[in-house]
Amino acid sequence: MNDPIYITGKCHYACIVEPNTKFDPVWSIQVEVNDDNRDTIEAARLPVNNKGDDRGDFVTIKRKVNRADGTERKAPIVKDSQNNLWNGKMIANGSVVNVKAVPYDWNYAGKSGVSADLAAVQVVDFIEYTGSQIEDFDVVEGGYVNTEAQEIPFAS
């Protein structure tokens, strides 16, 4: 097994409390690449991405929920700054984290590269994700107001 590396930085799209199930279920986190962590990331040969948004350069660290043989893997360990186990709150973009990652080489379907297994995350500066806070529209004074009561299905 390869030696772990430790990456500190602001995170984005932290799916570490619950796995991302959009495709294959996976725990994952993106960490901004900065002057303090760039050498570690480059020495591990991890691919650095940049989508032209507020993340700038970032690296994605993942752990698949299921092994190739179908057996389930343990979730990455998540702790707070005092090494207490995490309370299950969702972590928002911009939170500062320490990530323990284990780089590995891979070969698949004629392609090869380096990825890193997401072993653990320590949340250092927490911003809670509470869902979208953006309203779709401003209130229009003098506009139509629906006065008929409506039930919204499945609303809680």
Side-chain angles (χ1 to χ4, degrees), residues 27-130:
W27 292 284
S28 65
I29 192 167
Q30 296 176 353
V31 181
E32 290 181 13
V33 177
N34 57 45
D35 292 341
D36 294 329
N37 65 22
R38 187 175 299 276
D39 288 345
T40 300
I41 292 165
E42 289 178 353
R45 304 181 346 251
L46 294 176
V48 174
N49 299 295
N50 189 315
K51 303 289 185 182
D53 56 21
D54 64 334
R55 292 174 288 180
D57 289 347
F58 66 92
V59 64
T60 302
I61 312 294
K62 299 179 181 180
R63 172 177 279 183
K64 290 185 177 181
V65 172
N66 298 308
R67 291 183 181 87
D69 66 6
T71 59
E72 194 167 311
R73 300 185 70 196
K74 290 184 179 181
I77 297 165
V78 183
K79 295 187 173 187
D80 68 13
S81 65
Q82 302 302 303
N83 282 326
N84 298 308
L85 288 177
W86 192 245
N87 57 17
K89 291 184 178 181
M90 301 293 283
I91 300 164
N93 294 347
S95 295
V96 176
V97 296
N98 294 322
V99 174
K100 179 181 179 182
V102 182
Y104 62 91
D105 295 306
W106 57 266
N107 292 294
Y108 181 75
K111 295 183 180 182
S112 62
V114 177
S115 292
D117 180 56
L118 178 59
V121 176
Q122 180 184 40
V123 181
V124 177
D125 185 9
F126 175 61
I127 302 169
E128 185 173 4
Y129 178 77
T130 57

